[in-house]
């Protein structure tokens, strides 16, 4: 039970990596606040955690909206008293395509979810962490932010922004006992896979991506959750400002 006694908020936890992180945290003893834009998906994950013997509540909300972060903060405190861990996992992308085909609306949506979501999480939870002697942010960035592929210019840029902001937050908030780290997954099998590929999700097309991953497969939600578990645990008490690549060697 590596997270016993802790409460974690996981955004975008209604599917994909976030669902894996929420379920892993719950198995390791954490109370989990399952956030997602999709209320039914958040409720499903929270119910499955409860059926498995864990503690979770579902709080629907949009990470781009300040009011929804306040609601998330208040719901977490009402049910669990305090929060020690926030996982900024909710994310989105424009489809993989040439840079001049990405519309302004797509650009704005990607930056609103991937970058502004982080901004609001900091504003919502840093005062709470400061008042309680510290806390942990785990931010799901991407290998896209350090080893970008073509076709995802603005998604890659948004993840690069997340990484630099996270390192700066680590430097600025360290004296408050607040740790900030990133996890950088390589392409995985989630709701976003087809968008990242930009072509039909066939075994042949997947092989083009797998070919650049030395360990020879996509990442899984459990791979990502295992890194997030370490970073949230007290085993990582002296780890801040880092990125863990969960990428089978893709960034080498
Ligand atoms: N799948 C990959 O290949 C891959 C690789 C690297 C990084 N990532 C990152 O992993 C994270 C999780 O994505 P995933 O791949 O599991 O995709 P996913 O689509 O399966 O999960 C993302 C979840 O976030 C939710 N969401 C979207 N916008 C939201 C918002 N504004 N507020 C709250 N929730 C919102 C969605 O409803 C969805 O349930 C993202 O940050 C993504 O950029 C994914």
């Amino acid at each position: 039970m590596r997270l016993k006694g802790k409460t974690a908020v996981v955004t975008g936890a209604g599917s994909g990596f976030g669902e894996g992180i929420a379920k892993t945290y719950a198995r390791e003893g954490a109370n989990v606040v399952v956030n997602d834009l999709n209320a039914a998906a958040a409720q499903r994950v929270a119910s499955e955690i409860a059926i498995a013997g864990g503690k979770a509540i579902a709080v629907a909300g949009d990470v781009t909206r300040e009011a929804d972060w306040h609601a998330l903060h208040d719901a977490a405190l009402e049910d669990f008293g305090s929060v020690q861990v926030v996982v900024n996992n909710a994310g989105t992308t424009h489809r993989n395509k040439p840079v001049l085909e990405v519309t302004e609306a797509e650009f704005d949506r990607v930056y609103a979810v991937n970058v502004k979501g982080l901004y609001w999480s900091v504003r919502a939870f840093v005062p709470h962490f400061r008042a309680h002697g510290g806390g942990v942010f785990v931010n799901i960035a991407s290998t896209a932010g350090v080893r970008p592929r073509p076709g995802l210019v603005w998604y890659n840029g948004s993840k690069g922004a997340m990484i630099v902001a996270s390192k700066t937050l680590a430097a600025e908030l360290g004296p408050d006992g607040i740790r900030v780290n990133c996890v950088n997954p390589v392409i995985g099998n989630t709701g976003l896979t087809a968008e990242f590929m930009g072509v039909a999700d066939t075994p042949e097309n997947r092989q083009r991506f797998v070919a650049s991953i030395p360990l020879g497969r996509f990442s899984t939600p459990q791979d990502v959750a295992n890194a997030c578990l370490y970073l949230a645990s007290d085993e990582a008490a002296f780890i801040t400002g880092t990125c863990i690549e969960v990428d089978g060697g893709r960034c080498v």
Side-chain angles (χ1 to χ4, degrees):
M1 289 283 188
R2 291 160 71 187
L3 299 182
K4 199 162 178 54
K6 297 187 195 295
T7 295
V9 172
V10 185
T11 68
S15 78
F17 293 156
E19 177 174 354
I21 297 162
K23 288 181 171 173
T24 299
Y25 277 14
R27 273 203 308 278
E28 292 292 337
N31 305 315
V32 183
V33 181
V34 178
N35 157 266
D36 206 282
L37 195 55
N38 179 334
Q43 192 54 61
R44 174 185 62 77
V45 172
S47 302
E48 288 175 9
I49 287 173
I51 289 166
K55 283 211 183 94
I57 57 167
V59 182
D62 181 342
V63 297
T64 71
R65 289 170 45 92
E66 181 182 18
D68 290 10
W69 275 100
H70 287 311
L72 196 52
H73 169 276
D74 293 351
L77 263 59
E78 191 179 319
D79 273 61
F80 300 124
S82 63
V83 171
Q84 287 71 38
V85 183
V86 173
V87 183
N88 284 298
N89 165 77
T92 192
T93 187
H94 56 84
R95 192 166 177 82
N96 188 318
K97 58 185 172 181
V99 64
L100 295 183
E101 293 177 18
V102 179
T103 66
E104 181 184 9
E106 288 172 316
F107 176 94
D108 285 346
R109 179 174 51 82
V110 168
Y111 275 75
V113 179
N114 298 359
V115 183
K116 202 171 191 184
L118 175 60
Y119 170 83
W120 287 130
S121 78
V122 166
R123 294 186 66 97
F125 279 96
V126 166
H128 177 76
F129 286 166
R130 279 190 170 138
H132 289 79
V136 179
F137 288 100
V138 180
N139 298 329
I140 309 304
S142 173
T143 53
V146 285
R147 189 87 198 279
R149 298 178 192 266
L152 288 168
V153 170
W154 303 115
Y155 173 77
N156 297 344
S158 75
K159 292 300 187 177
M162 255 189 124
I163 290 168
V164 175
S166 297
K167 287 177 185 277
T168 317
L169 287 164
E172 186 165 326
L173 303 177
D176 296 317
I178 299 172
R179 297 191 294 107
V180 188
N181 292 288
C182 289
V183 169
N184 291 342
V186 77
I187 191 165
N189 189 15
T190 72
L192 293 177
T193 313
E195 294 295 286
F196 287 135
M197 291 171 60
V199 289
D201 186 357
T202 63
E204 297 72 35
N205 286 333
R206 281 190 176 215
Q207 193 45 43
R208 287 183 18 228
F209 288 82
V210 169
S212 65
I213 303 172
L215 287 180
R217 64 170 174 82
F218 277 21
S219 66
T220 67
Q222 193 61 60
D223 293 324
V224 174
N226 290 342
C228 294
L229 172 58
Y230 167 67
L231 289 172
S233 76
D234 293 340
E235 295 157 31
F238 202 53
I239 307 296
T240 196
T242 66
C243 296
I244 297 184
E245 265 92 52
V246 179
D247 71 345
R250 152 80 184 147
C251 287
V252 167

